């Protein structure tokens, strides 16, 4: 094997390693499990007892943690309602990194599909409760709107990194289409009680619609160098 071939293979291997997400440490995995346990316990209690009737002490006891541990993960009872939303948005931002050889559009689709695979099963029993709480309570609706606005701005910034030639309006519109479209379909499916298979089908269709809307943005279809 000549040096040029060996060097090319080495560069390809480095690129592949860079594209793979780092595996969380044992400590990080334990923290994630605790966070998920608290969120699941909270949604279950909200469904059984009601939102106002459930205290943070109740949630901590149901999750088998101390109340102070609850506050290590969530600033308030309102924030625990958005645990999964925050996690999923963080995942999108983490995954939305351009892989060599991909177009930005391919990166966006891969990132969304990966995250939606988790959405299909996450809080399957309490997804409708989560949506109902947000829709019924003005304070939670305001928080949800702020989270969606923050997410859209974050995705817009990432799109600018993915394709420096994208125009300001294209980046704003594309991020709005992606976040708004997927959020609306997830909320609808959970509110209507879709089973996992039906939800998967609906989300696949939603991704197709979002992608169809974004292909008009030329910068998103330009392959990486």
């Amino acid at each position: 094997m000549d040096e040029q071939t060996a060097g090319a293979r080495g560069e390809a291997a480095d690129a592949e390693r860079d594209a793979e997400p780092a595996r969380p440490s044992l400590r990080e995995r334990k923290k994630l499990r605790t966070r998920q346990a608290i969120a699941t316990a909270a949604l279950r209690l909200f469904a059984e007892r009601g939102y106002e009737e459930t205290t943070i002490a109740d949630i901590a006891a149901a999750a088998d943690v101390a109340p102070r541990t609850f506050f290590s993960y969530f600033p308030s009872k309102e924030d625990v309602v958005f645990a999964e939303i925050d996690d999923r948005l963080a995942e999108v931002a983490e995954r939305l990194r351009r892989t060599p050889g991909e177009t930005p559009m391919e990166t966006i689709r891969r990132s969304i599909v990966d995250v939606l695979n988790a959405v299909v099963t996450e809080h399957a029993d309490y997804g409708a409760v989560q949506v109902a709480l947000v829709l019924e309570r003005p304070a939670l609706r305001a928080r949800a709107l702020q989270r969606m606005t923050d997410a859209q701005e974050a995705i817009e910034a990432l799109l600018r990194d993915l394709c420096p030639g994208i125009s300001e309006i294209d980046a704003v519109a594309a991020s709005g289409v992606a976040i708004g479209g997927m959020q609306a379909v997830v909320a609808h499916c959970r509110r209507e009680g879709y089973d996992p298979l039906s939800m998967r089908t609906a989300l696949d269709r939603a991704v197709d619609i979002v992608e169809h809307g974004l292909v008009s943005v030329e910068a998103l279809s330009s392959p990486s160098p």
Side-chain angles (χ1 to χ4, degrees):
M1 181 186 301
D2 58 37
E3 293 184 2
Q4 184 175 2
T5 301
R9 289 187 178 181
E11 291 175 2
D14 289 342
E16 184 176 349
R17 283 194 299 271
D18 291 341
E20 294 178 353
R23 178 175 172 77
S25 67
L26 177 61
R27 177 181 175 82
E28 291 170 334
R29 295 197 299 275
K30 286 183 176 179
K31 290 179 66 175
L32 178 59
R33 286 196 295 270
T34 300
R35 176 181 169 85
Q36 291 174 338
I38 294 172
T40 300
L43 291 176
R44 176 172 58 80
L45 292 177
F46 295 156
E48 294 173 355
R49 304 181 183 180
Y51 180 77
E52 296 294 347
E53 292 75 14
T54 300
T55 66
I56 289 175
D58 293 334
I59 297 171
D64 197 24
V65 299
R68 66 177 180 274
T69 301
F70 176 97
F71 289 109
S72 297
Y73 290 88
F74 303 102
S76 70
K77 188 169 73 171
E78 290 180 340
D79 288 291
V80 77
V81 175
F82 298 99
E84 185 220 5
I85 295 173
D86 293 341
D87 291 346
R88 296 291 84 82
L89 292 175
E91 281 186 30
V92 172
E94 178 63 28
R95 293 174 182 273
L96 202 57
R97 298 287 186 266
R98 194 164 185 176
T99 299
E102 279 188 336
T103 67
M105 190 64 254
E106 290 169 337
T107 302
I108 292 169
R109 183 180 181 93
R110 173 175 51 77
S111 302
I112 291 177
V113 169
D114 286 349
V115 170
L116 291 182
N117 282 332
V119 170
V120 170
T121 55
E122 189 81 13
H123 297 316
D125 295 333
Y126 306 112
V129 175
Q130 181 191 55
V131 173
L133 286 172
V134 172
L135 294 179
E136 294 169 0
R137 298 179 178 279
L140 293 180
R141 293 192 76 164
R143 285 184 177 236
L145 178 60
Q146 184 60 57
R147 277 171 163 81
M148 291 301 105
T149 300
D150 292 344
Q152 182 177 333
E153 292 176 351
I155 298 302
E156 176 192 338
L158 286 168
L159 289 180
R160 292 175 183 273
D161 289 339
L162 283 173
C163 37
I166 195 170
S167 72
E168 178 181 349
I169 294 301
D170 284 355
V172 170
S175 60
V177 167
I179 292 294
M182 301 316 302
Q183 182 273 334
V185 173
V186 170
H188 172 80
C189 290
R190 286 185 165 172
R191 184 173 61 246
E192 299 301 321
Y194 278 41
D195 61 72
L197 179 59
S198 298
M199 190 174 185
R200 175 75 267 176
T201 300
L203 291 174
D204 285 342
R205 176 58 179 156
V207 172
D208 289 340
I209 292 172
V210 168
E211 184 175 18
H212 182 73
L214 297 184
V215 292
S216 62
V217 180
E218 185 177 352
L220 296 179
S221 301
S222 300
S224 61

